Amino acid sequence: MPQTFTRRRLAAALVTAAVLVPLAACGSDDDSDSGDSGSKKGGGKKVSLTVLAAASLTDVFRTAGAAYEKDHPGTKVNFSFEGSQELAAKVRQGAPADALVTADTKTMDGLKDDTGTPAVIARNRLVIATGKGNPENVRTLKDLGKSGLKVVLAAPEVPVGRYSEQVLDAQKVDVEPVSQEPNVRAVLSKVELGEADAGIVYKTDVTAADGKAEGIDIPDAQNAVASYPAATLKTSEHSEAADGFVKWLSSPAAQKILRDAGFQKP
């Protein structure tokens, strides 16, 4: 084969390689943006996360979700707020969701086959909720045992209901509630509407009531501390983005939002 022809073929091959290399590089850039981590500002595939969260997190998580979306363009965070026991039932039934935050470690521990490793993101304490002005002059846990006082509690399977039973039993206070509610916000609503004289809720719930109810502090020695663990769900279709959100809940930015709403440090 003549040397001139060989040189021409070699030159053509070099030109082709020079064109293909930049194209390959462009393709690599596109692939790097196709992930759904939701953990960085800027490009990336749009992701919609569903987070199952305890009812007592309703207000603070709406604020936190908005802050997260602002800092993570392309990621939308949707919340479903219910009692922790109701959330657990949804997980067991295979409801599509990406992350879970409960108001107790017991409920989360019961779902260890369905979640990643949980991390406690906040704590909370109980208070006695009364109507505005505390018309029945409720001051202590023992007052909840007064004859004729209408007291509402969460059901025993609800974390706040279990905590309430714990503190009342420890003080030997016998309460016959007028109703047992499916979550803490339902307890607060009964008090706000005047359908009950008092109830036991979390401190942050009274704060969120914005003056519609009053909170009577329970001494630390008589109180119970609620822990809020968060974890990704193994069935999540956006596991990387879900993990990013769960980790963010322990970040300084998220912790400030939780502190401002009255939650305590993990």
Side-chain angles (χ1 to χ4, degrees):
M1 183 180 295
Q3 290 185 355
T4 300
F5 181 73
T6 301
R7 285 196 297 269
R8 286 177 178 174
R9 290 187 62 180
L10 178 59
L14 290 173
V15 170
T16 300
V19 172
L20 290 178
V21 168
L23 289 176
C26 291
S28 176
D29 286 344
D30 289 342
D31 291 341
S32 68
D33 284 343
S34 65
D36 60 359
S37 68
S39 61
K40 296 180 180 179
K41 290 184 177 182
K45 184 179 177 181
K46 290 186 177 181
V47 180
S48 181
L49 294 177
T50 297
V51 178
L52 307 178
S56 51
L57 294 166
T58 300
D59 299 278
V60 68
F61 263 24
R62 284 174 177 160
T63 300
Y68 188 80
E69 290 173 355
K70 182 178 180 180
D71 198 44
H72 298 76
T75 300
K76 173 69 176 175
V77 185
N78 304 295
F79 295 104
S80 176
F81 298 106
E82 292 182 272
S84 295
Q85 81 290 349
E86 294 173 310
L87 300 177
K90 283 187 172 183
V91 172
R92 293 190 181 99
Q93 293 163 5
D98 302 289
L100 171 69
V101 189
T102 61
D104 66 334
T105 55
K106 181 178 180 179
T107 300
M108 184 67 79
D109 289 345
L111 297 168
K112 60 183 178 181
D113 292 336
D114 301 288
T115 70
T117 303
V120 173
I121 62 162
R123 300 187 192 279
N124 215 340
R125 290 182 180 272
L126 302 180
V127 297
I128 301 169
T130 71
K132 189 174 181 178
N134 190 10
E136 298 299 324
N137 195 32
V138 176
R139 297 298 175 192
T140 68
L141 286 172
K142 291 190 179 298
D143 288 340
L144 298 182
K146 289 181 180 178
S147 176
L149 189 74
K150 294 185 293 183
V151 179
V152 61
L153 299 173
E157 61 269 21
V158 185
V160 71
R162 189 165 60 251
Y163 296 136
S164 299
E165 282 193 344
Q166 176 184 326
V167 299
L168 290 170
D169 288 348
Q171 297 303 308
K172 296 180 171 52
V173 180
D174 186 19
V175 174
E176 293 186 10
V178 294
S179 68
Q180 292 183 314
E181 301 300 320
N183 60 66
V184 71
R185 285 307 174 91
V187 173
L188 184 66
S189 178
K190 290 278 187 179
V191 174
E192 289 177 336
L193 295 172
E195 297 177 14
D197 300 317
I200 296 181
V201 300
Y202 296 119
K203 187 177 183 70
T204 53
D205 293 301
V206 171
T207 301
D210 197 24
K212 296 177 183 177
E214 294 191 11
I216 309 301
D217 288 336
I218 300 173
D220 286 349
Q222 301 175 11
N223 214 327
V225 179
S227 298
Y228 291 76
T232 56
L233 293 174
K234 292 180 179 179
T235 55
S236 171
E237 295 183 359
H238 311 289
S239 58
E240 189 178 350
D243 186 56
F245 177 74
V246 168
K247 288 180 178 177
W248 178 83
L249 291 173
S250 295
S251 71
Q255 287 296 301
K256 184 179 186 306
I257 293 172
L258 287 162
R259 294 296 86 70
D260 289 346
F263 288 85
Q264 297 178 339
K265 293 180 179 180

